[in-house]
Amino acid sequence: IVVCPPGKHTTIAANRNPAARAALCHDAAAARLARQHNDANILALGARTTGTETAKDCLRAFLTTPFEGGRHSARVAKLGGAPGRNP
């Protein structure tokens, strides 16, 4: 989990690592979809743009949602990560 005031800076920095798939999420639905469809392995949050309860909801969704695989696996493989394998 990475946090900075707007969230976008740490997301960009985290994604410089080839094994990282960081997703900036502003709500639980975005966190769930980041895991389901993109096999995101880093949750990025904006400290100034995300309230405490929303951040908790995002974290809960991110940690409990599995990667869906299937049609999404090819896209994740193109990103350079092995789908379903979070380092």
Side-chain angles (χ1 to χ4, degrees):
I1 301 165
V2 295
V3 180
C4 77
K8 62 185 173 185
H9 302 108
T10 55
T11 306
I12 292 168
N15 280 321
R16 291 181 60 116
N17 181 320
R21 289 182 301 281
L24 176 58
C25 300
H26 296 290
D27 57 40
R32 183 175 36 78
L33 290 171
R35 285 288 304 131
Q36 277 182 337
H37 295 181
N38 297 323
D39 198 23
N41 54 15
I42 298 173
L43 172 64
L45 298 169
R48 291 185 188 154
T49 60
T50 308
T52 303
E53 290 306 313
T54 301
K56 289 178 186 178
D57 291 342
C58 288
L59 180 60
R60 192 174 302 111
F62 191 84
L63 293 176
T64 60
T65 303
F67 177 52
E68 199 171 83
R71 64 188 175 101
H72 307 294
S73 294
R75 180 180 57 254
V76 173
K78 286 180 185 178
L79 295 173
R85 286 193 28 181
N86 287 325

